[in-house]
Amino acid sequence: MIQLKELFDLIPLLIITFSATFILLIEVFVKKSETVIFGFTLISVISAIGTSFLYINKQLLIFNQYLKITNPAIAFIVIILTGILITVAASKQYLEKENINFGEYYSLLLFAVMGMMIMILANDIIIIFIGLELMSICFYVLVGFLRMRKKSNEGALKYLLLGMFMTGFILYGMALIYGITGSTNLTVIYSNPKLFTNFIFITGVALFFIGFLFKIGVFPFQMWIPDVYDGAPTIVSGMLSTAGKIAAIGTILPIILTLNMLNFRMVFSIAAIATMLYGNVIAIAQTNIKRLLAYSSIASAGYIFVGVAAMNEFAMKGIAYYLAAYTFMQLGAFIIVSILEKKDDGSRDYKNIDLSFYKGLGKRNPVMAIYMTLFLFSLAGIPPFAGFWGKYYLFYAAIQSNLIWLSVVGIILSLIGVYYYLKVTVYMWFTESEDIAIEDAVSVSGFGITATSLAVIGTIVFGISPNLFFKMFNFII
Amino acid sequence: MIDINYYLLTSAVLFSIGVAGVLIRRNAIVIFMCIELMLNSINLTLVAFSAFLGSISGQIFVFIVMTVAAAEAAVGLAIVIALFRNKESVNIDEINILKW
């Protein structure tokens, strides 16, 4: 039975849904609506974060068992919303710079968040599909939002074709799972005892996971990530690499842990190693900062899959913590790139995203250089920043499951990663700019700097006291 | 009554034709149509299972898949048009600015 009072179990989702729709109305009825919409979006995201905390320690199964509220789900949702808050705060400046300051941007952003929240809370494969598609379709549009630029168009088309192709695989997997278990409800699917003896069910699960591994960007399915992140508006790439990945991981992680797929541990371990190797090694050769960060996000997916391969109770904690840290540092780095980026009048291309632009940035713009250094150190896993503890918990989870070889390989590969993060840092502080034509003054408006400061605070606070995060969401340590 | 295996086999073959089309064809619009073929073969699977199991949720799923396919087609064609305005081509071999 569905009751009206169950709506009160979903206040954050309702706030996001309401404001996503309402923004379109503001756009129509208010003149000079950009600032109003910006403020409205900020307020609604903040209130959604605030109300999310009401549901900690409430294990709820609502709407005819279609949605399930658990502590890890709330943690993932709060991480996503925090990422979105930082993205929105930094968006205004970027959109004004690129002359694409339309209300639809914020509306699409919030619809994407709505899809992510539905997907994470889902307890039914139909609902997972609806959430996934709501998120993906909004992302296709957001990637192509700079519609006058060839790069943005191209990224959007690549993302769209590959994303739809993979949607087909996910759906076929879902259809086979439904056919074998006779139900779309995950609780019923879990309760079926002889699942992994059935060949069709294994095929279905494999197809389902292939689609999600594509969304996360794990090794054989990672080819789209650099192209799409390079083509998308920089601020959207930042959001894609954090919120989009977190939603996909938050959806499949409970499924992996509940189905107890220990037989497939080797597959996940090999995928993790291949992803880390690919991301870290190819990133060394990059000369474009957006592509470098894209490869670093592939490497991060590899670290997360070290935790997934562990499949124990530490894995959930470690992955949630790593994702929180990752949101702050990766998003922060992308926002700095978006602030430093210049609009090019003639050639319709992104400007100032080459690594050579970062030479001597420490002298020209010390604040941005310091922030960027913090984020890169955190991504490289240097203590006391949050990224270090994230990797520590993931490798610890792997050691707890007797996967010592996996964590050793992971640590070695993350040391390769330190090279290219430090290369950018050395460029910023210890080299002089060769190109005199680079104008030194970059106007930094209040909101851009506020957003990055928020990310810096997150990186440092969670780095200094990692337990704060677990206490916040009541993970048992 | 026809055995369910025939339905499943037909939809598997259709799905494979769709996948092969996506991998072989070079025109973005044709790739689109191949993806639609994949989605519709999945609909056939779902309906066959639904009739076989006597459960209604498979048919509900089909409606949702059709809605989503329509939404994706709308967004997709808009993106193809935006690309065509800038490049005057929808051949995916010529869409090659982004590499490495």
Side-chain angles (χ1 to χ4, degrees):
Chain A
M1 262 301 279
I2 296 175
Q3 291 164 327
L4 194 61
K5 70 174 167 57
E6 283 173 327
L7 283 179
F8 292 103
D9 297 329
L10 281 177
I11 293 173
L13 186 61
L14 291 179
I15 290 174
I16 295 291
T17 314
F18 170 77
S19 44
T21 327
F22 200 67
I23 284 168
L24 294 174
L25 288 178
I26 298 179
E27 168 107 62
V28 175
F29 290 111
V30 181
K31 274 182 188 169
K32 305 241 173 195
S33 55
E34 287 83 5
T35 322
V36 181
I37 289 174
F38 175 68
F40 184 71
T41 317
L42 275 184
I43 291 167
S44 53
V45 174
I46 291 171
S47 48
I49 295 175
T51 46
S52 297
F53 281 98
L54 296 174
Y55 300 103
I56 290 174
N57 286 339
K58 280 188 186 175
Q59 301 282 335
L60 290 171
L61 211 53
I62 51 175
F63 287 125
N64 234 344
Q65 301 199 343
Y66 276 131
L67 299 180
K68 186 181 183 183
I69 299 176
T70 57
N71 271 2
I74 294 296
F76 286 125
I77 284 177
V78 172
I79 296 168
I80 287 175
L81 286 171
T82 316
I84 294 297
L85 178 68
I86 297 172
T87 313
V88 169
S91 287
K92 188 167 187 281
Q93 186 191 6
Y94 185 78
L95 297 181
E96 280 169 359
K97 187 163 62 187
E98 298 285 351
N99 282 331
I100 47 167
N101 196 1
F102 307 123
E104 302 96 277
Y105 172 84
Y106 298 101
S107 182
L108 285 167
L109 207 62
L110 290 187
F111 272 121
V113 177
M114 180 186 155
M116 295 174 204
M117 291 169 82
I118 291 176
M119 203 164 128
I120 290 176
L121 293 175
N123 191 36
D124 190 295
I125 50 179
I126 297 182
I127 308 291
I128 292 181
F129 176 68
I130 294 174
L132 180 76
E133 283 309 301
L134 188 51
M135 178 186 95
S136 302
I137 292 175
C138 293
F139 277 172
Y140 302 148
V141 182
L142 284 173
V143 170
F145 209 75
L146 280 165
R147 62 192 161 85
M148 293 306 169
R149 285 203 188 161
K150 283 182 187 170
K151 268 191 169 181
S152 184
N153 291 151
E154 186 178 324
L157 188 75
K158 282 181 176 171
Y159 190 29
L160 175 98
L161 290 179
L162 292 172
M164 278 177 76
F165 188 51
M166 285 300 163
T167 302
F169 282 94
I170 293 182
L171 260 178
Y172 203 47
M174 283 175 170
L176 293 179
I177 293 172
Y178 165 69
I180 296 305
T181 57
S183 169
T184 53
N185 193 305
L186 282 179
T187 320
V188 179
I189 292 172
Y190 294 150
S191 65
N192 202 331
K194 290 186 287 185
L195 287 178
F196 283 106
T197 54
N198 190 323
F199 175 71
I200 297 180
F201 182 80
I202 294 176
T203 316
V205 171
L207 287 169
F208 180 78
F209 276 110
I210 282 173
F212 273 96
L213 295 192
F214 167 83
K215 297 281 173 201
I216 300 167
V218 178
F219 173 61
F221 314 107
Q222 87 297 6
M223 293 309 294
W224 61 281
I225 286 195
D227 285 0
V228 172
Y229 289 6
D230 187 9
T234 313
I235 201 95
V236 175
S237 331
M239 192 196 56
L240 275 178
S241 72
T242 55
K245 276 190 185 186
I246 295 167
I249 292 166
T251 313
I252 60 163
L253 192 56
I255 299 177
I256 293 175
L257 293 181
T258 324
L259 279 178
N260 209 4
M261 304 167 73
L262 289 178
N263 295 338
F264 298 91
R265 181 177 265 170
M266 204 58 196
V267 179
F268 288 119
S269 310
I270 291 169
I273 289 175
T275 316
M276 289 187 287
L277 189 68
Y278 184 89
N280 282 326
V281 171
I282 312 267
I284 292 174
Q286 296 304 317
T287 55
N288 175 329
I289 186 95
K290 276 168 91 175
R291 281 188 166 255
L292 189 135
L293 289 174
Y295 280 102
S296 110
S297 94
I298 295 176
S300 299
Y303 304 137
I304 290 162
F305 262 67
V306 172
V308 173
M311 287 186 213
N312 52 19
E313 69 271 31
F314 296 101
M316 182 65 101
K317 272 172 48 189
I319 291 173
Y321 182 87
Y322 186 78
L323 288 174
Y326 173 72
T327 304
F328 289 122
M329 55 206 189
Q330 181 86 7
L331 196 53
F334 264 116
I335 288 173
I336 302 248
V337 175
S338 85
I339 289 174
L340 294 175
E341 195 185 308
K342 278 253 166 65
K343 186 184 162 77
D344 194 340
D345 301 320
S347 71
R348 294 179 172 186
D349 198 0
Y350 299 97
K351 208 178 166 193
N352 288 356
I353 54 170
D354 269 350
L355 274 187
S356 56
F357 170 76
Y358 285 79
K359 284 184 178 168
L361 187 73
K363 276 194 186 141
R364 281 180 284 135
N365 204 330
V367 181
M368 289 289 118
I370 289 169
Y371 279 11
M372 192 70 174
T373 313
L374 288 178
F375 295 136
L376 292 175
F377 275 13
S378 182
L379 280 167
I382 294 170
F385 301 111
F388 168 74
W389 292 107
K391 282 182 192 168
Y392 169 82
Y393 286 123
L394 289 175
F395 293 139
Y396 180 74
I399 290 171
Q400 289 297 315
S401 302
N402 279 326
L403 289 169
I404 296 168
W405 62 277
L406 180 60
S407 36
V408 170
V409 173
I411 290 164
I412 291 169
L413 290 175
S414 79
L415 284 179
I416 299 177
V418 173
Y419 169 75
Y420 59 87
Y421 295 124
L422 286 187
K423 188 172 80 174
V424 181
T425 317
V426 168
Y427 271 11
M428 286 193 297
W429 295 102
F430 301 114
T431 53
E432 294 290 327
S433 167
E434 297 148 8
D435 189 3
I436 312 159
I438 294 174
E439 312 94 295
D440 45 359
V442 173
S443 66
V444 180
S445 89
F447 279 113
I449 212 80
T450 317
T452 32
S453 305
L454 213 62
V456 166
I457 291 167
T459 316
I460 293 175
V461 167
F462 281 140
I464 290 170
S465 99
N467 278 337
L468 185 70
F469 177 78
F470 300 121
K471 277 183 197 145
M472 222 186 228
F473 298 105
N474 207 10
F475 281 103
I476 300 113
I477 299 167
Chain B
M1 187 178 159
I2 304 170
D3 191 44
I4 185 176
N5 287 330
Y6 293 109
Y7 291 109
L8 296 185
L9 204 63
T10 314
S11 61
V13 169
L14 279 175
F15 188 81
S16 312
I17 293 172
V19 172
V22 172
L23 298 177
I24 292 169
R25 301 306 293 264
R26 285 283 158 264
N27 185 316
I29 309 269
V30 178
I31 292 179
F32 245 72
M33 284 151 61
C34 294
I35 292 172
E36 294 294 318
L37 183 64
M38 284 165 70
L39 295 182
N40 282 320
S41 76
I42 294 158
N43 285 349
L44 183 60
T45 315
L46 282 168
V47 173
F49 274 131
S50 172
F52 176 71
L53 297 164
S55 105
I56 197 77
S57 40
Q59 295 176 30
I60 307 289
F61 207 160
V62 169
F63 280 112
I64 289 164
V65 172
M66 280 155 72
T67 320
V68 165
E72 270 181 341
V75 168
L77 291 175
I79 289 173
V80 171
I81 288 170
L83 183 79
F84 188 79
R85 282 198 181 135
N86 284 335
K87 287 204 72 137
E88 309 208 334
S89 165
V90 289
N91 187 333
I92 55 167
D93 282 335
E94 290 167 30
I95 302 171
N96 54 6
I97 320 171
L98 298 165
K99 48 190 154 191
W100 257 84

